[in-house]
Amino acid sequence: DAKTTQPTSMDCAEGRAANLPCNHSTISGNEYVYWYRQIHSQGPQYIIHGLKNNETNEMASLIITEDRKSSTLILPHATLRDTAVYYCIVRVSNSGGSNYKLTFGKGTLLTVNP
Amino acid sequence: NAGVTQTPKFRVLKTGQSMTLLCAQDMNHEYMYWYRQDPGMGLRLIHYSVGEGTTAKGEVPDGYNVSRLKKQNFLLGLESAAPSQTSVYFCASSYLAQETQYFGPGTRLLVL
């Protein structure tokens, strides 16, 4: 799986959009970008994933650049409960794959301030 | 739909004691995983299962055993606990390999 680079920490004001960047310049054509987050003392929580098109769900939006070398996770209206470590993970996603583990890097600690 | 649940939430063991951690999922997922998380180390895969009755070793399998007798349950056993096994253990499941993995809330284990 391709390596990712994320800022160590970011701050965001409550109610504002939080934009979390991720660089994955060595991504392959069949690798998806996944985002998870881990709120303190809880299990990792799946947020969203995408291949090359922008994706949106009830939690967030994922913007992937045209060359796929970077992406941005957007939390449109951050709340205090969104304070967590956010992980960007790149991995192959197809039913014939055999790489079972998820490789979590150090992630970005997002602190949402009142 | 509870998703992935883990039992117990917290446990303290003495060196040499044994215990079993239980993971249950109600999403009819084929694949299940056990990870451990230590400060500064990220999540490391201990064992995984690709279906009922099957298990396989992950990155750090030594000192652990697993069983998958029922599709919905994945058990992680420590036969003789060591202080190095103090960690937070997470179970996860996915419908197929490479699909999205969903995690449980974790079990905090302290081995004295």
Side-chain angles (χ1 to χ4, degrees), chain A residues 6-7 9-13 16-22 35 60-63 71-78 86 108-112:
Chain A
Q6 300 177 252
S9 63
M10 295 182 65
D11 286 312
C12 177
R16 305 296 292 269
N19 297 281
L20 291 92
C22 179
W35 283 84
S61 294
L62 174 60
I63 308 298
S71 61
T72 301
L73 178 74
I74 301 173
L75 307 178
H77 305 287
Y86 287 77
T108 296
L109 173 59
L110 175 68
T111 302
V112 181

Short mmCIF file of all heavy atoms in Angstrom, two decimals, chain A residues 6-7 9-13 16-22 35 60-63 71-78 86 108-112:
data_model
loop_
_atom_site.label_atom_id
_atom_site.label_comp_id
_atom_site.label_asym_id
_atom_site.label_seq_id
_atom_site.Cartn_x
_atom_site.Cartn_y
_atom_site.Cartn_z
N GLN A 6 0.59 13.21 6.43
CA GLN A 6 -0.43 14.10 6.99
C GLN A 6 0.22 15.05 8.00
O GLN A 6 1.21 14.70 8.63
CB GLN A 6 -1.52 13.30 7.72
CG GLN A 6 -2.27 12.31 6.88
CD GLN A 6 -3.27 11.53 7.73
OE1 GLN A 6 -3.08 10.34 8.01
NE2 GLN A 6 -4.33 12.21 8.15
N PRO A 7 -0.35 16.24 8.17
CA PRO A 7 0.16 17.12 9.22
C PRO A 7 -0.07 16.48 10.58
O PRO A 7 -1.04 15.73 10.78
CB PRO A 7 -0.66 18.40 9.06
CG PRO A 7 -1.84 18.02 8.25
CD PRO A 7 -1.44 16.87 7.41
N SER A 9 -0.85 17.94 13.46
CA SER A 9 -2.00 18.47 14.19
C SER A 9 -2.60 19.65 13.44
O SER A 9 -1.93 20.30 12.63
CB SER A 9 -1.60 18.89 15.60
OG SER A 9 -0.65 19.93 15.55
N MET A 10 -3.88 19.89 13.73
CA MET A 10 -4.61 21.03 13.18
C MET A 10 -5.64 21.49 14.19
O MET A 10 -6.12 20.68 15.00
CB MET A 10 -5.33 20.64 11.88
CG MET A 10 -4.44 20.27 10.72
SD MET A 10 -5.40 19.88 9.25
CE MET A 10 -6.13 21.47 8.90
N ASP A 11 -5.99 22.75 14.11
CA ASP A 11 -7.05 23.31 14.94
C ASP A 11 -8.17 23.82 14.05
O ASP A 11 -7.94 24.24 12.91
CB ASP A 11 -6.52 24.46 15.80
CG ASP A 11 -5.66 23.98 16.94
OD1 ASP A 11 -6.09 23.04 17.62
OD2 ASP A 11 -4.57 24.51 17.13
N CYS A 12 -9.37 23.80 14.60
CA CYS A 12 -10.53 24.29 13.86
C CYS A 12 -11.50 24.88 14.86
O CYS A 12 -11.66 24.34 15.97
CB CYS A 12 -11.17 23.15 13.09
SG CYS A 12 -12.67 23.60 12.18
N ALA A 13 -12.18 25.95 14.46
CA ALA A 13 -13.20 26.53 15.32
C ALA A 13 -14.51 25.79 15.15
O ALA A 13 -14.88 25.38 14.04
CB ALA A 13 -13.38 28.01 14.99
N ARG A 16 -17.10 25.74 12.05
CA ARG A 16 -16.42 26.00 10.78
C ARG A 16 -16.08 24.68 10.09
O ARG A 16 -16.12 23.61 10.70
CB ARG A 16 -15.15 26.81 11.03
CG ARG A 16 -15.36 28.11 11.77
CD ARG A 16 -16.21 29.08 10.99
NE ARG A 16 -15.54 29.59 9.81
CZ ARG A 16 -14.81 30.70 9.81
NH1 ARG A 16 -14.62 31.39 10.91
NH2 ARG A 16 -14.24 31.11 8.68
N ALA A 17 -15.73 24.78 8.82
CA ALA A 17 -15.31 23.59 8.09
C ALA A 17 -13.88 23.22 8.47
O ALA A 17 -13.02 24.08 8.61
CB ALA A 17 -15.39 23.83 6.59
N ALA A 18 -13.66 21.93 8.64
CA ALA A 18 -12.32 21.41 8.89
C ALA A 18 -11.83 20.73 7.62
O ALA A 18 -12.53 19.86 7.09
CB ALA A 18 -12.33 20.43 10.05
N ASN A 19 -10.68 21.16 7.14
CA ASN A 19 -10.11 20.60 5.92
C ASN A 19 -8.81 19.89 6.26
O ASN A 19 -7.82 20.53 6.61
CB ASN A 19 -9.84 21.71 4.89
CG ASN A 19 -11.11 22.40 4.46
OD1 ASN A 19 -11.87 21.90 3.64
ND2 ASN A 19 -11.36 23.56 5.04
N LEU A 20 -8.81 18.59 6.16
CA LEU A 20 -7.64 17.80 6.53
C LEU A 20 -6.95 17.27 5.27
O LEU A 20 -7.53 16.49 4.53
CB LEU A 20 -8.04 16.63 7.44
CG LEU A 20 -8.52 17.02 8.83
CD1 LEU A 20 -10.04 17.20 8.87
CD2 LEU A 20 -8.11 15.97 9.85
N PRO A 21 -5.69 17.67 5.05
CA PRO A 21 -5.00 17.24 3.83
C PRO A 21 -4.25 15.93 4.01
O PRO A 21 -3.88 15.56 5.13
CB PRO A 21 -4.02 18.39 3.59
CG PRO A 21 -3.68 18.85 4.99
CD PRO A 21 -4.92 18.65 5.81
N CYS A 22 -4.02 15.28 2.89
CA CYS A 22 -3.24 14.04 2.88
C CYS A 22 -2.50 13.95 1.55
O CYS A 22 -3.11 14.12 0.49
CB CYS A 22 -4.14 12.83 3.08
SG CYS A 22 -3.27 11.24 3.07
N TRP A 35 -10.44 7.14 4.76
CA TRP A 35 -10.27 7.95 5.96
C TRP A 35 -10.97 7.29 7.14
O TRP A 35 -12.14 6.89 7.04
CB TRP A 35 -10.83 9.36 5.75
CG TRP A 35 -9.95 10.24 4.92
CD1 TRP A 35 -9.88 10.31 3.57
CD2 TRP A 35 -8.99 11.19 5.41
NE1 TRP A 35 -8.95 11.23 3.17
CE2 TRP A 35 -8.39 11.80 4.29
CE3 TRP A 35 -8.58 11.60 6.69
CZ2 TRP A 35 -7.41 12.77 4.39
CZ3 TRP A 35 -7.61 12.57 6.80
CH2 TRP A 35 -7.03 13.15 5.65
N ALA A 60 -18.88 13.36 5.96
CA ALA A 60 -17.82 14.18 5.40
C ALA A 60 -17.83 14.15 3.88
O ALA A 60 -18.60 13.41 3.27
CB ALA A 60 -16.47 13.67 5.91
N SER A 61 -16.95 14.98 3.32
CA SER A 61 -16.69 14.95 1.87
C SER A 61 -15.22 14.64 1.66
O SER A 61 -14.36 15.02 2.48
CB SER A 61 -17.03 16.29 1.23
OG SER A 61 -18.42 16.55 1.30
N LEU A 62 -14.94 13.95 0.57
CA LEU A 62 -13.58 13.61 0.21
C LEU A 62 -13.30 14.19 -1.17
O LEU A 62 -14.01 13.87 -2.13
CB LEU A 62 -13.39 12.09 0.20
CG LEU A 62 -12.05 11.55 -0.31
CD1 LEU A 62 -10.91 12.07 0.56
CD2 LEU A 62 -12.06 10.01 -0.31
N ILE A 63 -12.28 15.03 -1.23
CA ILE A 63 -11.87 15.64 -2.49
C ILE A 63 -10.52 15.05 -2.88
O ILE A 63 -9.56 15.15 -2.12
CB ILE A 63 -11.75 17.17 -2.36
CG1 ILE A 63 -13.02 17.77 -1.75
CG2 ILE A 63 -11.44 17.79 -3.72
CD1 ILE A 63 -14.27 17.56 -2.57
N SER A 71 -5.30 14.35 -1.33
CA SER A 71 -6.73 14.42 -1.09
C SER A 71 -6.99 15.28 0.14
O SER A 71 -6.08 15.57 0.92
CB SER A 71 -7.33 13.02 -0.89
OG SER A 71 -6.74 12.36 0.22
N THR A 72 -8.24 15.69 0.30
CA THR A 72 -8.65 16.49 1.44
C THR A 72 -9.95 15.94 2.00
O THR A 72 -10.91 15.73 1.24
CB THR A 72 -8.85 17.98 1.06
OG1 THR A 72 -7.63 18.49 0.53
CG2 THR A 72 -9.27 18.79 2.27
N LEU A 73 -9.96 15.72 3.27
CA LEU A 73 -11.19 15.34 3.97
C LEU A 73 -11.81 16.61 4.52
O LEU A 73 -11.14 17.40 5.19
CB LEU A 73 -10.90 14.37 5.11
CG LEU A 73 -12.11 13.95 5.94
CD1 LEU A 73 -12.97 12.96 5.15
CD2 LEU A 73 -11.69 13.35 7.27
N ILE A 74 -13.09 16.81 4.25
CA ILE A 74 -13.77 18.01 4.71
C ILE A 74 -14.90 17.64 5.66
O ILE A 74 -15.81 16.87 5.30
CB ILE A 74 -14.35 18.81 3.52
CG1 ILE A 74 -13.22 19.21 2.57
CG2 ILE A 74 -15.09 20.05 4.02
CD1 ILE A 74 -13.71 19.84 1.28
N LEU A 75 -14.82 18.17 6.88
CA LEU A 75 -15.94 18.08 7.81
C LEU A 75 -16.63 19.43 7.73
O LEU A 75 -16.08 20.44 8.16
CB LEU A 75 -15.44 17.82 9.24
CG LEU A 75 -14.50 16.63 9.43
CD1 LEU A 75 -14.08 16.53 10.89
CD2 LEU A 75 -15.17 15.35 8.99
N PRO A 76 -17.83 19.50 7.17
CA PRO A 76 -18.41 20.80 6.80
C PRO A 76 -18.72 21.72 7.99
O PRO A 76 -18.57 22.94 7.86
CB PRO A 76 -19.67 20.42 6.05
CG PRO A 76 -19.97 19.03 6.45
CD PRO A 76 -18.66 18.37 6.76
N HIS A 77 -19.14 21.18 9.10
CA HIS A 77 -19.46 22.00 10.27
C HIS A 77 -18.93 21.27 11.51
O HIS A 77 -19.64 20.50 12.14
CB HIS A 77 -20.97 22.20 10.40
CG HIS A 77 -21.61 22.79 9.18
ND1 HIS A 77 -21.45 24.11 8.83
CD2 HIS A 77 -22.39 22.23 8.22
CE1 HIS A 77 -22.11 24.34 7.70
NE2 HIS A 77 -22.68 23.22 7.31
N ALA A 78 -17.67 21.51 11.81
CA ALA A 78 -17.03 20.75 12.88
C ALA A 78 -17.66 21.04 14.24
O ALA A 78 -18.03 22.19 14.56
CB ALA A 78 -15.54 21.08 12.93
N TYR A 86 -7.24 11.75 12.87
CA TYR A 86 -7.78 11.36 11.57
C TYR A 86 -6.68 10.69 10.75
O TYR A 86 -5.59 11.23 10.59
CB TYR A 86 -8.31 12.59 10.84
CG TYR A 86 -9.61 13.08 11.44
CD1 TYR A 86 -9.61 13.80 12.63
CD2 TYR A 86 -10.83 12.79 10.85
CE1 TYR A 86 -10.79 14.22 13.21
CE2 TYR A 86 -12.02 13.21 11.41
CZ TYR A 86 -11.99 13.92 12.59
OH TYR A 86 -13.18 14.33 13.18
N THR A 108 -3.53 12.82 11.81
CA THR A 108 -3.60 14.23 12.19
C THR A 108 -4.51 14.38 13.39
O THR A 108 -5.67 13.94 13.35
CB THR A 108 -4.19 15.09 11.04
OG1 THR A 108 -3.32 15.04 9.92
CG2 THR A 108 -4.36 16.54 11.50
N LEU A 109 -4.00 14.98 14.44
CA LEU A 109 -4.85 15.28 15.59
C LEU A 109 -5.60 16.57 15.30
O LEU A 109 -5.01 17.65 15.24
CB LEU A 109 -4.01 15.43 16.86
CG LEU A 109 -4.79 15.92 18.10
CD1 LEU A 109 -5.93 14.97 18.44
CD2 LEU A 109 -3.85 16.11 19.28
N LEU A 110 -6.90 16.46 15.09
CA LEU A 110 -7.75 17.61 14.88
C LEU A 110 -8.36 18.02 16.21
O LEU A 110 -9.03 17.20 16.85
CB LEU A 110 -8.86 17.31 13.88
CG LEU A 110 -9.88 18.43 13.68
CD1 LEU A 110 -9.24 19.63 13.00
CD2 LEU A 110 -11.10 17.95 12.92
N THR A 111 -8.12 19.25 16.60
CA THR A 111 -8.73 19.78 17.82
C THR A 111 -9.75 20.84 17.41
O THR A 111 -9.39 21.82 16.76
CB THR A 111 -7.68 20.40 18.74
OG1 THR A 111 -6.69 19.41 19.07
CG2 THR A 111 -8.33 20.90 20.03
N VAL A 112 -11.00 20.61 17.77
CA VAL A 112 -12.05 21.58 17.49
C VAL A 112 -12.25 22.42 18.74
O VAL A 112 -12.54 21.89 19.83
CB VAL A 112 -13.37 20.88 17.10
CG1 VAL A 112 -14.45 21.91 16.80
CG2 VAL A 112 -13.14 19.98 15.89
#
